[in-house]
């Protein structure tokens, strides 16, 4: 018991040391273990739960990651350089780090385990569910989507009794809108690659997360999102510097 408390205390100290700098932070409280969040920037997040350091799309463009604690888990949503960063992986990886990637990201960096849409598993007490992340509306000049279905992942992490969606680069897909029992959702809001406020609100109305965190966002969309979310009951909007 003393050992477990020591690990948790060290985790909180690490989280506090980081959050005293320029990074925004938040906490999702739960009787099965609070989740401490550091918004590293862009699509990069650090989630700390029961001493586990879980990084989502870590990017060395956003921070000196050598000053962050080493990772227990790293999740990479897709292969684009602002989400799949070799320097970040090098800075955060230790012998026990488990890395999870989309298939094309794995082809690029050859690290970790490939995860495909519709996979479900539990590793080291963390539940992992994968759904596809892709564009429906926003396309390149050649008519191809910025993010093709089957090439990019969104991850749902089950941490104790919390289910947390980290969407990566995606739009309001049918797979996202069909989700249930999501406690917190990190949804991107930046054109032309991901969603505008209407798309975010459409998704939130469909799967009703308890907490919405816009991330990887364009600041100019925040007033519009705030106004539109007034019409969405039972979903708490938490805006943090990103």
């Amino acid at each position: 018991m003393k050992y477990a408390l020591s690990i948790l205390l060290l985790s909180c100290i690490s989280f506090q040391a980081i959050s005293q700098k320029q990074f925004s932070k938040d906490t999702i409280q739960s009787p099965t273990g609070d989740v401490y969040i550091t918004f590293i920037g862009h699509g990069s997040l650090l989630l700390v739960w029961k001493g586990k350091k879980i990084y989502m799309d870590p990017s060395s463009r956003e921070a000196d990651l050598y000053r962050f604690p080493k990772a227990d888990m790293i999740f990479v949503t897709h292969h684009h350089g602002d989400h799949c960063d070799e320097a970040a992986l090098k800075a955060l990886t230790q012998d026990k780090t488990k890395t999870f990637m989309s298939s094309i990201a794995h082809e690029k960096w050859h690290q970790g385990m490939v995860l495909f849409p519709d996979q479900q598993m539990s590793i080291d007490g963390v539940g992992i569910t994968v759904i596809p992340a892709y564009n429906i509306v926003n396309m390149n000049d050649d008519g191809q989507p910025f993010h093709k279905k089957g090439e990019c992942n969104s991850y749902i992490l089950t941490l104790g009794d919390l289910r947390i969606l980290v969407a990566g680069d995606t739009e309001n897909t049918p797979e996202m809108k069909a989700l249930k029992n999501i406690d917190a959702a990190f949804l991107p809001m930046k054109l032309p690659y991901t969603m505008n406020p209407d798309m975010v609100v459409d998704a939130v109305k469909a799967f009703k997360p308890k907490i919405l965190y816009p991330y990887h966002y364009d600041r100019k969309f925040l007033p519009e999102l705030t106004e539109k979310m007034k019409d969405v009951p039972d979903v708490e909007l938490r805006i943090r510097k990103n």
Side-chain angles (χ1 to χ4, degrees), residues 68-152:
F68 280 66
K70 297 294 185 182
D72 294 294
M73 292 182 167
I74 299 173
F75 289 86
V76 176
T77 60
H78 65 289
H79 53 288
H80 292 160
D82 54 338
H83 294 259
C84 183
D85 177 4
E86 183 180 26
L89 298 179
K90 182 179 179 180
L92 295 171
T93 298
Q94 58 185 334
D95 289 342
K96 68 175 184 176
T97 301
K98 295 179 174 65
T99 305
F100 306 93
M101 292 187 168
S102 62
S103 58
I104 297 183
H106 189 268
E107 291 173 11
K108 185 175 180 181
W109 297 125
H110 306 288
Q111 177 173 326
M113 178 188 296
V114 176
L115 294 183
F116 296 95
D118 302 322
Q119 275 191 270
Q120 296 186 47
M121 65 187 69
S122 180
I123 297 179
D124 295 341
V126 176
I128 304 166
T129 301
V130 187
I131 64 170
Y134 58 97
N135 291 105
I136 301 170
V137 175
N138 295 316
M139 305 289 168
N140 283 296
D141 292 339
D142 62 3
Q144 294 298 310
F146 291 108
H147 306 90
K148 296 179 182 179
K149 188 173 184 179
E151 293 185 354
C152 311

Side-chain angles (χ1 to χ4, degrees), residues 167-170 176 186-190 194-195 200 215-217:
D169 280 7
T170 188
M176 178 192 292
F186 293 84
L187 299 187
M189 189 174 62
K190 191 168 188 175
T194 62
M195 292 189 273
V200 171
Y215 87 132
H216 194 343
Y217 60 72

Side-chain angles (χ1 to χ4, degrees), residues 162-179:
L162 293 175
R163 280 168 45 86
I164 298 174
L165 168 67
V166 181
D169 280 7
T170 188
E171 292 179 13
N172 47 333
T173 65
E175 293 87 350
M176 178 192 292
K177 293 168 69 172
L179 293 173

Side-chain angles (χ1 to χ4, degrees), residues 40-51:
I40 300 173
H42 200 63
S44 297
L45 301 168
L46 166 59
L47 310 179
V48 179
W49 176 72
K50 288 191 171 181

